[in-house]
Amino acid sequence: MFRTALRNVLAHKARLLMTVLAVMLGVAFVSGTLVFTNSLSTALQNSSAKGFDQVDVAVRPEGREDKGDTVGKTPELTQALLDRSARVPGAANAFGVVRGFTALADKDGKLIGGGFQSEGGNYWGTKDPRYPLVSGHAPSGKGEVLIDSETAKRAGYQVGDRVRMSVDGPVLTPTVAGVFTTDDGNVAAGGSLTLFDTATAQQLFGKPGTYDEIDVTAAAGTSQTALKAALDRALPKDTVETTTGRQLADDQAEIIASSMSGLKQGLLVFAGIALFVGTFIIANTFTMLVAQRTKELALLRAVGASRRQVTRSVLVEAFVVGAVAGVTGLVAGIGIGAGLKALMGTLGASVPDGPLVVSPGTVATALVVGVVVTMLAAWLPGRRAAKIPPVAAMSSVHAKATTKSLVLRNTLGALFSAAGVAVVLAATSMDGSDGQAPMGFGAVLLIIGVFVLTPLLSRPLIAAAAPVLRAFGVSGRLARQNSVRNPRRTAATASALMIGLTLITGMTVMAGSLQTSIDKMASAAIRADYVVSMANGNELSPDVERTLKKTEGVTATSPLRNAPSRIDGRTEYLTGVNGATIGGLTDLTVEEGSFTVGGDRVVVDDETAEAHDWTAGSHFTVHYEDGKAQQLTVAGVYRGNDMIRGIMLDTARLAPHQRDAADMQVMVKTADGASGTVKDRLEKALGSNPAIRVQDKKDISNEIAKMFTLILNMLYGLLAMAVIVAVLGVINTLAMSVFERSQEIGMLRAIGLERTGIKRMVRLESLVISLFGGVLGIGLGVFFGWAAGELLGTRMPTYELVLPWGRMAAFLLLAAVVGVLAALWPARRAARLNMLQAIKSE
């Protein structure tokens, strides 16, 4: 039986090729994902570990927890602590580290590094071993700065050039004193690092005389552990904590691995979808192969083969196919992993140099996935073939499914579909987070139910296309009859395409609806013409609002200033605003009381009010960060959203209790409204600062839209794999269907149907099957998009369902194109059959 199975594989090489390709693509996606993420993770970890080469022990401020009604304060690392650390036995050197956000502009005035990756720091003395100089000299004063070599290369800066930059105030234009190399992970990821002398860095970052960290190097013969123990004995335990460089590197490696885990899981989900779609093709292929060899298998049974042996022979074929697909998929996956790594560099995302990592786990996963998926998909056809009595198989009594089996299938499909719809509808009425798991479970049930019901659904839906097909004459009528001749085969072929289009349509509906909701939220919540903020999301200096207030054409401004406090024994963040102007700069729905901010009167969002059981007129005591307490009155309760929420009070009441006042945003109203001229005027008033963004409501919406568009395009690209696998399924089904119907096609040619008619018949059949899958996929996608939107609407009041009719029409057209392209080779093959040989074939 083993030799028979191998002979059958070799005898049907062409028929099994599409199956191998389908499995290979899924395996390639899985192995490519593992190679790419492992290689990237290893490169980042190695690069990060180099960054700790000059650190044997790091001294950091002890984190303080909030206790009672006191807001915790972070202890400071002073020069005295640095000097004490340097004198500890076993210490060779001690460096004070100062860090902060530094916005560096390129020669066109654009921010380098995407905001959050633009960092600044201090260069220690005349020679800092952490940052080897490539050229130039150490910086001195505000007029000189060092930049990293990667940034210098990208922006075209050299020693002696003047650069525009900002830290937390006016724009600076220092001279590049030197260029250095670094293993900093942010620089490797495309960011920038600028260094000042220590005194200048402390002054610019608002940390005069203090440090963010003290890095201590060990003397020869002293281990990191021994140095840490000595520092623990010498330094006050209640204000600082120490960590070895090795532990820092391990912690960083764990963080990188954790962040890469999310990317890996996301990519593997789409690889799983491609493999899931591939199982339909595998099951379809083996069902057709077994059906074509029914008499052969019956003869084997008649001469003594058992049912298990017949099933085993089919599984052996599947094993060979899966093994070949696994090996070729692994090779292709290594290429995909290398390609993705190179693509990141092409797209501007710098990746640290490192080898391509092909771990034993990746190899084992590729082979196991290829073999297991193929054998599982082939098991049911093999078992079904073994259960057919030899005499019945030889006389083809088994050919059609019994009424009992069809009734059972349709009943199960109806039950699964009804249960899926019920669970999804129930989930839409739940809270956002609570409804996610039930909705996912309901979606799986519904997809399974529709798949089981697809043979039943195929007849009426394909029959609806009869009037159109009739226009193509004999070819059209034959195509319709062929499409419904074997409903199970048609269903399995269409279902592969259905799953891909369901996901694509559902995500498109969600993305379009979310964008509309965000636009409504921005226009509903904000009356201000502009919102000013830092490019990296950090805090703005209060000078920004003062500058804007004096700018020509500005009629009103208000900061949004966050400050920690303690209320009822727990931490609550206060939002400081200009009480006189905030009402005219926002358009929030007031649910109780009035929107009055000033003195001891505050307004609170609905969720915070509910959490504290407050209503309009309620009084509460707040403990500010300086420890002082005050009683405030709730003047009104407003409906919060993702853009504005929290406890708003006047900055005049908040500022005296803040040690370092800073604003998260500044809202601006102008006499002329939002326009390009006004925006330029505001930017110039702020010194054309690369660190500061001036955005109108459209800019805010577009920024969020960019994120959605980027994610959506990535998902489209990933789901394209599932569509490609579905195309292979259509090709495979048609090719094997043509082989099955060779005699029929020969007869049609003999009685006068021309080759063009044969081609048209196969193409129309493919088109009908693909459109059938497309209609089901788009219908399910719209339903899932609506359901997910209803769930999201519990958290986003402005959510509104928007059906992207244009894109849905494009998806249906895509299904039609898939059908036409998939039919090219099978149609050509059918038309070239020799009619006499075809008539004689069995």
Side-chain angles (χ1 to χ4, degrees):
M1 292 301 293
F2 181 73
R3 288 196 298 272
T4 302
L6 291 179
R7 190 184 68 245
N8 282 323
V9 172
L10 297 174
H12 303 121
K13 292 187 290 290
R15 302 184 209 171
L16 292 171
L17 176 62
M18 295 299 173
T19 304
V20 171
L21 283 174
V23 182
M24 184 200 77
L25 282 173
V27 172
F29 205 161
V30 171
S31 53
T33 295
L34 295 174
V35 169
F36 168 64
T37 52
N38 288 342
S39 300
L40 186 59
S41 180
T42 300
L44 289 171
Q45 287 175 12
N46 291 341
S47 175
S48 173
K50 289 179 184 177
F52 296 107
D53 285 349
Q54 300 295 328
V55 182
D56 287 315
V57 179
V59 180
R60 294 174 171 175
E62 168 86 7
R64 294 292 182 87
E65 296 181 358
D66 297 340
K67 298 179 181 179
D69 290 318
T70 304
V71 179
K73 296 178 182 178
T74 303
E76 294 180 338
L77 300 180
T78 62
Q79 183 65 37
L81 276 174
L82 173 64
D83 295 339
R84 194 187 305 181
S85 300
R87 292 194 298 268
V88 166
N93 291 298
F95 304 95
V97 179
V98 184
R99 300 190 185 97
F101 171 64
T102 301
L104 178 65
D106 61 20
K107 291 187 175 181
D108 295 326
K110 301 289 180 63
L111 179 66
I112 296 174
F116 70 96
Q117 295 170 333
S118 301
E119 292 190 349
N122 65 312
Y123 188 82
W124 194 258
T126 57
K127 189 174 182 181
D128 192 330
R130 300 171 300 170
Y131 306 111
L133 286 174
V134 176
S135 58
H137 58 84
S140 176
K142 282 188 178 181
E144 292 187 340
V145 68
L146 300 182
I147 61 175
D148 67 89
S149 56
E150 289 297 319
T151 298
K153 189 188 304 179
R154 287 195 297 266
Y157 285 131
Q158 297 177 346
V159 174
D161 289 346
R162 295 187 76 83
V163 295
R164 287 178 60 81
M165 62 169 49
S166 173
V167 177
D168 188 25
V171 174
L172 305 174
T173 54
T175 300
V176 178
V179 176
F180 63 91
T181 59
T182 179
D183 293 310
D184 186 278
N186 281 329
V187 174
S192 64
L193 178 62
T194 53
L195 302 176
F196 303 90
D197 67 72
T198 299
T200 301
Q202 288 174 326
Q203 181 186 353
L204 289 174
F205 299 139
K207 303 163 185 175
T210 64
Y211 302 95
D212 295 299
E213 181 176 303
I214 296 172
D215 291 342
V216 186
T217 56
T222 303
S223 68
Q224 291 186 355
T225 307
L227 179 59
K228 180 181 183 302
L231 286 165
D232 287 339
R233 288 191 296 270
L235 302 179
K237 295 180 180 178
D238 60 333
T239 58
V240 299
E241 57 186 11
T242 58
T243 311
T244 63
R246 189 177 300 107
Q247 183 62 49
L248 289 173
D250 291 343
D251 291 345
Q252 188 67 24
E254 189 175 334
I255 292 171
I256 292 171
S258 177
S259 63
M260 293 303 299
S261 174
L263 174 63
K264 183 186 295 186
Q265 288 175 7
L267 291 173
L268 287 176
V269 165
F270 289 94
I273 292 170
L275 283 169
F276 183 60
V277 172
T279 58
F280 291 110
I281 300 171
I282 301 164
N284 218 13
T285 302
F286 276 92
T287 298
M288 296 169 73
L289 284 173
V290 168
Q292 291 170 12
R293 288 164 37 211
T294 299
K295 291 187 178 180
E296 174 189 330
L297 295 174
L299 184 60
L300 289 172
R301 290 290 312 284
V303 297
S306 66
R307 287 184 177 182
R308 286 187 179 180
Q309 285 178 310
V310 170
T311 304
R312 206 175 295 140
S313 70
V314 175
L315 291 177
V316 167
E317 291 182 49
F319 176 83
V320 173
V321 170
V324 172
V327 172
T328 54
L330 174 62
V331 174
I334 294 172
I336 289 173
L340 286 173
K341 194 175 176 186
L343 181 63
M344 286 189 69
T346 305
L347 295 175
S350 299
V351 180
D353 292 332
L356 207 61
V357 179
V358 184
S359 66
T362 300
V363 176
T365 300
L367 295 177
V368 169
V369 166
V371 171
V372 170
V373 168
T374 309
M375 292 185 70
L376 283 176
W379 175 76
L380 190 59
R383 184 171 177 272
R384 192 184 298 136
K387 290 176 68 176
I388 301 170
V391 176
M394 288 182 177
S395 58
S396 298
V397 173
H398 68 288
K400 292 184 180 180
T402 63
T403 304
K404 180 181 177 182
S405 68
L406 291 174
V407 169
L408 178 62
R409 179 181 180 121
N410 294 337
T411 302
L412 285 174
L415 289 173
F416 269 96
S417 299
V421 170
V423 173
V424 169
L425 291 177
T428 59
S429 62
M430 298 180 183
D431 183 63
S433 55
D434 295 337
Q436 290 177 2
M439 183 166 289
F441 178 65
V444 171
L445 287 178
L446 181 54
I447 288 177
I448 292 173
V450 171
F451 169 66
V452 175
L453 281 176
T454 306
L456 179 66
L457 297 172
S458 65
R459 290 187 178 275
L461 288 177
I462 292 176
V468 178
L469 293 173
R470 207 172 290 129
F472 293 94
V474 174
S475 298
R477 288 196 296 273
L478 289 171
R480 185 184 68 81
Q481 292 169 5
N482 290 333
S483 300
V484 296
R485 177 186 294 182
N486 191 331
R488 289 187 177 182
R489 182 190 303 167
T490 298
T493 307
S495 294
L497 188 59
M498 175 192 79
I499 291 171
L501 287 179
T502 295
L503 295 169
I504 291 174
T505 305
M507 288 187 302
T508 304
V509 170
M510 281 284 295
S513 301
L514 277 172
Q515 183 56 52
T516 302
S517 305
I518 291 162
D519 290 341
K520 286 177 65 178
M521 184 187 297
S523 60
I526 302 173
R527 284 182 186 167
D529 295 316
Y530 292 98
V531 175
V532 180
S533 61
M534 289 286 279
N536 67 332
N538 278 2
E539 297 173 329
L540 286 164
S541 167
D543 293 336
V544 171
E545 191 210 358
R546 289 192 280 268
T547 301
L548 290 169
K549 193 179 292 186
K550 299 174 186 175
T551 304
E552 178 190 351
V554 173
T555 58
T557 63
S558 175
L560 292 178
R561 179 179 301 176
N562 282 357
S565 70
R566 297 288 290 179
I567 300 173
D568 295 338
R570 61 185 179 188
T571 300
E572 291 281 2
Y573 277 85
L574 307 174
T575 302
V577 298
N578 185 329
T581 61
I582 190 65
L585 295 170
T586 57
D587 191 13
L588 300 166
T589 302
V590 179
E591 297 186 338
E592 285 185 60
S594 62
F595 199 86
T596 305
V597 181
D600 64 352
R601 297 172 68 78
V602 301
V603 292
V604 184
D605 71 283
D606 50 351
E607 289 187 6
T608 304
E610 184 179 352
H612 289 277
D613 198 23
W614 292 338
T615 59
S618 295
H619 303 282
F620 64 92
T621 301
V622 60
H623 294 263
Y624 296 106
E625 59 181 304
D626 63 354
K628 294 181 180 179
Q630 192 171 60
Q631 190 175 69
L632 299 176
T633 302
V634 178
V637 177
Y638 67 92
R639 186 183 302 159
N641 55 51
D642 289 340
M643 301 188 73
I644 300 177
R645 64 174 67 243
I647 304 171
M648 290 190 196
L649 76 163
D650 200 298
T651 50
R653 182 57 58 102
L654 178 63
H657 303 286
Q658 288 186 284
R659 185 173 51 177
D660 298 310
D663 303 328
M664 293 304 296
Q665 296 177 338
V666 177
M667 305 177 84
V668 182
K669 189 79 173 174
T670 62
D672 300 328
S675 69
T677 305
V678 174
K679 185 175 182 179
D680 289 342
R681 189 190 307 153
L682 296 177
E683 288 177 342
K684 286 179 181 177
L686 295 171
S688 300
N689 196 321
I692 298 177
R693 295 183 302 184
V694 179
Q695 297 176 298
D696 59 20
K697 286 182 278 191
K698 190 66 178 174
D699 293 332
I700 294 171
S701 295
N702 288 343
E703 183 180 8
I704 301 173
K706 279 182 184 176
M707 180 180 67
F708 280 119
T709 303
L710 176 64
I711 293 172
L712 196 62
N713 289 338
M714 286 176 60
L715 295 179
Y716 281 161
L718 294 170
L719 285 172
M721 184 70 73
V723 176
I724 292 171
V725 174
V727 173
L728 291 175
V730 178
I731 296 173
N732 208 18
T733 300
L734 289 172
M736 300 188 75
S737 179
V738 166
F739 177 82
E740 274 186 358
R741 304 200 312 260
S742 295
Q743 192 176 58
E744 174 189 320
I745 292 171
M747 289 296 296
L748 289 171
R749 292 277 290 115
I751 61 176
L753 189 61
E754 297 180 349
R755 287 185 174 180
T756 54
I758 297 291
K759 285 183 180 180
R760 190 181 300 120
M761 176 187 73
V762 176
R763 288 171 184 161
L764 289 173
E765 181 183 348
S766 175
L767 184 64
V768 167
I769 293 173
S770 297
L771 286 175
F772 170 52
V775 169
L776 285 180
I778 292 171
L780 282 174
V782 169
F783 176 70
F784 290 140
W786 165 83
E790 289 293 304
L791 195 62
L792 189 62
T794 60
R795 293 292 185 90
M796 187 180 285
T798 57
Y799 185 85
E800 176 186 342
L801 178 67
V802 177
L803 294 181
W805 296 105
R807 290 206 174 188
M808 289 194 295
F811 295 154
L812 197 59
L813 181 63
L814 172 66
V817 170
V818 165
V820 172
L821 293 177
L824 290 177
W825 178 62
R828 177 181 169 84
R829 183 183 177 194
R832 296 182 66 179
L833 283 175
N834 183 296
M835 70 178 75
L836 294 178
Q837 290 180 355
I839 291 170
K840 290 190 296 180
S841 67
E842 294 186 7

